Amino acid sequence: MIKTLVLGAGHEVGKSCVVLMIGGKTIMFDCGMHMGYHDDRRFPDFSLIPKRGDYTQSIDCIIITHFHLDHIGALPYFTEICGYEGPIFMTYPTKALAPLMLEDYRRVMVDRRGQQEQFSVLQIHDSMKKVTAVDLKQTISLGSDIQFRAYYAGHVLGAAMFHLKVGESTVVYTGDYNMTPDRHLGAAQIDRLKPDLIITESTYATTIRDSKHARERDFLQAVHKCVTNGGKVLIPVFALGRAQELCILLDDYWERMNLKAPIYFSAGLTMQANVYYKLLIAWTNQKVKDTCITRNTFDFKHVSVFDRSQLNAPGPCVLFATPGMLSGGLSLEVFRLWAPFEQNMVVVPGYCVPGTVGYRLVTGKTVTLDADKRIKLEVRCQIHHLSFSAHTDAKGIMDLLRHVSARHVILVHGEKPKMALLRTRIISELGVPCFVPGNGETVEVPSRLVLKVLASEKFLTKSQSNSLQTSIKSKVDDVSAPKRHMEDVSLSSIHDIRSAIIIMDKEKTIQVLNPEEALNVLNVSQHNFLYRCRLPLYISGMNDKDFNAPEVFDRGPTEGNEISGKELMKPSKKCCRGIQEFSGFQQQYDLEDKDAENELIWAERKEQENELELEDKGAENERIWAEHKEQEGIPHSVLEAMVQTVYKHLVKQLGDIVCYKQDNCIVANSVCIKISSEKTQSGTENKAQYIFTCTWSGQDEELARQIISILHMMQIASQASA
Amino acid sequence: MEELVCMHAEYIQNFGSSSPEFKPSWLNPPAFQDYPASFKKALVDDDGVGRANWHLLYRKKDIQACMDQIRCVHYDEEISIYDCLCIKASSSGFELGASNWVISGARCLSYFSASDLTSGHSMALNVASHIKSEVFLFSDLKSNNTDGYDEDLTSCSVKGICENKDKDYPVETKSLSGRCCGGVVHDLLEVSKVVLETILFRGSVLVLVNGIGELMETLEVISQALDNSNLSDVPLFFVSPVAEEILVYTNTIPEWLSAERQEKLYAGEALFRHVELLQQGRLHQLSALCSQETVKVWREPCVVFALNWGLRMGPAIPLMLKWRQDPRCLLVMPETGMTRLALAPFQPVQMKVLHYCRRKLGEMEVSAIIEKMKPELFLVPETMKGEFPSLGDSDSRASRNDIVFYNMWDILTIPAPRYTEADMMAEVACTVHPRQLDSGHSVGKVKVRIQQRGGKWLLDLPKLSQESDDALTEKETICWGTVEVTKLMDILQGNGLCCELHSEGHRNNSEHRIVVTTPSPATVELGLQYTIIETNDLVLRKLITDAVRSLLTFI
């Protein structure tokens, strides 16, 4: 069972924190804080975590998806104040950029708001020291049970989705992701992992967004218009992520349109962030990577650092100010100054948490704003809401879910009514159970159960080479486009169905074996349980001439299409054994007893036989047989020709059943038809009587009947022709 | 690769393109007739083609086409090859991105290329990711065997140079006159000492390196040494057609670097010092030696860094030609065992030669890894045989048979295990109806779909559609036991059949023949390992079949 305890981001956006309990292991995904609250509700309620001593003992590891505060904000609190000492994992960029975010937040809280700090600078650094950085797709093993791997998630630099495997249970936790590439990041990429459970964000559970290109154009035009009219543009952003994307966009536009109005970045912090971005080019999209040799995209030409003295400077400008959502700090301060003027504009990019000024602006509820309890502020400036979120939209969520094809879905990080709608959609369209737990709730889903067994090499490789080659071939053919990765095709499994014997011994070791191997292990030998039927065939009007002339067939027909691709073995003794082994039986037909009317004796198992002896015996038998026939007065060749005719006929009729000929026997699966001739007493010279002795084992009942009826038909046909 | 192509272009530019077939005329078979026999032999191998097999060098577009086919992987990323094999790269610590590989399928094998436990630039050797490997294959180990070295190289060690430090300069030249002097050092600090000394004597230094990571580290150590001696004004040059790309690129790959350098990322600093050196104008990146830019900034003494192309092409050549007669100058190059050959065209060489050799895994390190990881088997090159006394000969381990020495072209077979671990889905287990046997085994039959996922076997329930296709194999049964004639007779007679036992005429007592006369004729032949029922009456056949089955063990 996989138990999912949602500590945060249940029915809300903010303080993401999900605790998974699988097979005695506890893993925490994200450790975020809520931007909309300033009381206890700002952090996840860690006390709900099932206790095994302190937090370090209770939690095996923490995995952080990206550096946004609603995913990492509570980490220093949890490690330094709650005292968690265990391993923490995040990607390299997250580890590099998270301290910036945390420090920025701490400063805003303390310096501007005058609140008591939740954690100190030192604590942030101590907390980050406990972090192990991971690379994308790197498989990390923690102990023998926990394994996880990061996948590119887009969203922000270094954002990752995580695939977690505990024992045989698999979970994908998406964090925030974006299915469409933006100016500096690529789209999320993940394999078809078919996990037991996927926990996905659902910020835009119902929104379907139009093309990004149009939105970019609108944004640029709005800014351009405002600036040419002498207005000031305020873009409240968080230091990392959106700021860089919009900066690339504007810098590019300024270059193209040859605009002169200054673009400012608030505080050195955001400039410092650009240094990190330059180092972490490998985590951006291909275009940025390709151009980084000639010009690093994060070397902005038109962007300069903002100085507080420019606050009241006249003339147009564009200002990126932290924090986003206008939740306080410089951005709110500037907003208060600029908002009352009509020519100015505020661009609110992306999502705003309820409770922030940004949220109220976007929802358009008030034009008057009591930004500071005492002062009523009239907002006259233009407000441009840029649905420019780095979150995927509803279509993206569905695409991802369909691609990953998990067996259960849990939605977090969204608004309750929208999540409910999305849930209905998932259940109806994807047909998988979907849960929308609130904070503090636990969801249990069954996980895949797998038994460890020992399969014999023989069992696994039997006919594997065959199926393997064809499937590899088909896969190779699949890869028409050279850029397509192997992975895309490799999951269509190499498989093949066969029956296995499962043996569990006293030590409870389970072995999976071939039937013949099972007999060996159990130290018994196969009992051949057979049926026999004799079918006399009277063929009149056939003499030596008829047979010897054109009707003698070589093995030609065996190579015909009727055999449908299955490799036909040459009818030699050795190969017969091969085929018999293939069909699961080791048999040997031996013509031993002259008197006992061509009776078939099932010889002993092949392993116990001496091959040389066999060959001799076979040769000897052939000679005896020939002599025997001569004695009976029917030339050997006539009988052989008869066998040929019947064989040819059967091959034709049976289609793709492997059928081969050995001496006077025709063998198909376990059915053996032995053809012998008898001296006829009727006196007519041209009339020969043959006896078909069919022997088969129970499993080939149908085939045997089919063959017998074919032989019957032959008889009727031949009689008719006579 | 691009540098190689550029240099080839330069070569053609300087020396002209060869014959239209891109084959020098002296390599055309007709010309062979006039060559002396020994020369001919060197040119033509046994197959009659031999070295005349002159190959075209690839071009820029070939590089692009080749790179397009490459799939990039991260360290410790598990890649499934058609689901039958799983391969994984893990850092070897030798160069930027250099890897050892773990290949897992039925067995798990680790291949160790040149590795370094501690590295100043790239991520250190990761031993932990080989934990599941059963077989370790070591290659490119450090050998203490010095047979392959040039004699005059080993005769003069770096110590000799260092000891000469305080003596007068002319004395040193005298002692070295007419010979190339060299030694092998493993420590970059030693290298920087010698470089410093050379600079102090107003000699220039040419540093040839094999890898980019090595280049970056050498650059840092030498510039640091110069700083420490207040020689910061000595210019540093990095000459390569791709110098700029290399310098920019190396600063954007924190994931591939050593832990100390990753700390620089977290501190928001440049990953390598060359960024700072470039900004200060001390390091110059030159795309070629003969360019305007070079003329502007060139100043001697200086330290020139270039990639090592065996002293046959590239920027090293003009510099060698310029400095080879100057005993003040120093050449630092990687140790390859081919030094004499490399220096041959430049003889007589007056300049000093110093060999720098990266530390590789030696016997000690390998032993330590083996001790820690305890693989089932490990393979070491035959040439290292003498250097593994502790593993091969010592009494305590005399019995160990887990070490195998290999030679080039050897094919070693590692026995496959008889049983492979596979995963069986719980759903499959539910379909088994096990039968408890007297021997204590439980036996059951089941139909499974066998799949491979990333080198692992998975036994799953067949899909419904596939089930019908294979109706035939489903009926395959195994059964064992012996039918006791009397019991069978009892059952048959109990069912109201009229039957007779014919045991005579058969060779031994274990073979019998039961002839049924009513309700319809039938015979049953019994033996130790077989039963044959012959009848045309289907109902009767069923009856006899059931009777026989009840006496046998079926699965």
Side-chain angles (χ1 to χ4, degrees), chain A residues 139 276 283 449 451-453 455 457 490 493 495-496 498 500 502 504 526-528 530-532 534 701, chain B residues 76 83 255 265-266 418 420 422-424 426 442 444 446 448 450-451 479 525 529 531 533-534 541 545:
Chain A
T139 311
Y276 285 96
W283 296 73
L449 266 178
L451 290 170
K452 291 278 175 206
V453 295
E457 198 63 16
S490 72
S493 47
H495 59 252
D496 138 44
R498 69 190 83 131
I502 292 176
M504 185 166 78
Q526 170 77 22
H527 187 99
N528 291 304
L530 305 164
Y531 298 108
R532 187 163 63 195
R534 282 171 217 236
E701 183 73 30
Chain B
D76 289 319
D83 273 336
E255 305 89 329
L265 162 73
Y266 305 136
R418 244 191 95 209
T420 311
D423 289 343
M424 187 165 72
S442 299
V446 75
V448 293
I450 300 179
Q451 301 180 69
C479 64
E525 286 168 34
Q529 301 294 331
T531 305
I533 301 171
E534 185 176 348
R541 213 178 78 183
T545 307

Side-chain angles (χ1 to χ4, degrees), chain B residues 391-449:
Chain B
L391 296 175
D393 304 328
S394 86
D395 291 339
S396 60
R397 289 168 182 163
S399 60
R400 77 185 296 159
N401 50 4
D402 56 355
I403 181 164
V404 174
F405 295 98
Y406 66 88
N407 275 316
M408 200 152 57
W409 307 118
D410 273 1
I411 293 178
L412 299 172
T413 312
I414 294 156
R418 244 191 95 209
Y419 290 102
T420 311
E421 194 167 272
D423 289 343
M424 187 165 72
M425 301 297 294
E427 290 89 335
V428 176
C430 292
T431 63
V432 182
H433 303 293
R435 209 185 152 118
Q436 191 75 36
L437 300 181
D438 299 339
S439 58
H441 292 89
S442 299
V443 184
K445 201 177 86 162
V446 75
K447 226 173 96 177
V448 293
R449 186 160 55 113

Side-chain angles (χ1 to χ4, degrees), chain B residues 8-50:
Chain B
H8 185 248
E10 195 177 281
Y11 178 87
I12 288 180
Q13 193 188 339
N14 291 349
F15 302 101
S17 177
S18 38
S19 69
E21 306 96 279
F22 296 97
K23 214 175 194 185
S25 58
W26 53 271
L27 268 175
N28 279 333
F32 289 177
Q33 310 310 324
D34 312 327
Y35 297 158
S38 59
F39 187 30
K40 218 190 306 186
K41 202 178 165 198
L43 278 176
V44 186
D45 282 350
D46 296 338
D47 55 358
V49 196

Side-chain angles (χ1 to χ4, degrees), chain A residues 189-440:
Chain A
Q189 275 179 331
I190 193 161
D191 297 333
R192 198 179 183 80
L193 296 164
K194 298 186 181 169
D196 295 322
L197 172 68
I198 183 166
I199 303 170
T200 176
E201 65 134 324
S202 49
T203 321
Y204 290 102
T206 52
T207 320
I208 303 282
R209 279 173 302 182
D210 51 352
S211 97
K212 185 147 191 169
H213 189 74
R215 276 177 283 140
E216 283 182 0
R217 199 186 47 217
D218 291 347
F219 161 72
L220 290 170
Q221 280 171 355
V223 171
H224 191 175
K225 201 175 144 204
C226 179
V227 172
T228 34
N229 291 339
K232 295 176 191 291
V233 182
L234 170 67
I235 309 178
V237 285
F238 288 102
L240 303 160
R242 183 53 31 74
Q244 279 73 23
E245 189 192 355
L246 294 179
C247 235
I248 296 174
L249 202 61
L250 282 179
D251 196 53
D252 218 38
Y253 189 74
W254 251 237
E255 181 81 24
R256 269 187 292 138
M257 306 303 282
N258 201 17
L259 295 181
K260 294 284 177 257
I263 303 174
Y264 295 117
F265 244 47
S266 82
L269 171 85
T270 324
M271 282 317 248
Q272 176 70 18
N274 287 346
V275 174
Y276 285 96
Y277 270 72
K278 279 187 231 170
L279 291 177
L280 293 162
I281 282 285
W283 296 73
T284 57
N285 66 23
Q286 201 56 46
K287 198 181 156 218
V288 175
K289 272 188 254 181
D290 289 345
T291 54
C292 86
I293 300 289
T294 44
R295 192 181 82 90
N296 197 313
T297 316
F298 298 103
D299 284 328
F300 300 116
K301 258 188 174 175
H302 302 267
V303 180
S304 47
V305 182
F306 183 71
D307 193 315
R308 290 190 66 82
S309 63
Q310 283 149 331
L311 257 182
N312 294 308
C317 70
V318 178
L319 170 67
F320 287 92
T322 54
M325 305 183 192
L326 292 171
S327 57
L330 180 71
S331 61
L332 190 60
E333 187 185 342
V334 175
F335 176 71
R336 264 187 245 145
L337 276 173
W338 292 0
F341 303 98
E342 277 167 31
Q343 75 270 26
N344 292 348
M345 183 164 81
V346 176
V347 179
V348 184
Y351 184 84
C352 284
V353 171
T356 57
V357 177
Y359 180 79
R360 275 180 282 170
L361 281 183
V362 172
T363 48
K365 278 178 187 152
T366 44
V367 193
T368 344
L369 207 63
D370 47 342
D372 201 358
K373 295 260 157 72
R374 288 168 289 129
I375 312 155
K376 290 259 179 190
L377 184 74
E378 205 172 343
V379 179
R380 289 216 191 86
C381 69
Q382 311 154 53
I383 291 159
H384 185 96
H385 181 224
L386 194 56
S387 164
F388 220 56
S389 177
H391 293 272
T392 184
D393 63 359
K395 189 178 168 295
I397 297 174
M398 292 305 285
D399 286 347
L400 182 97
L401 292 179
R402 207 168 281 130
H403 175 69
V404 175
S405 46
R407 293 162 67 216
H408 303 89
V409 180
I410 289 180
L411 299 179
V412 291
H413 202 280
E415 289 158 20
K416 198 175 179 185
K418 291 181 183 174
M419 288 162 95
L421 283 172
L422 182 64
R423 174 173 176 263
T424 333
R425 203 177 150 199
I426 289 168
I427 293 173
S428 66
E429 282 183 34
L430 303 177
V432 292
C434 177
F435 308 91
V436 188
N439 285 345

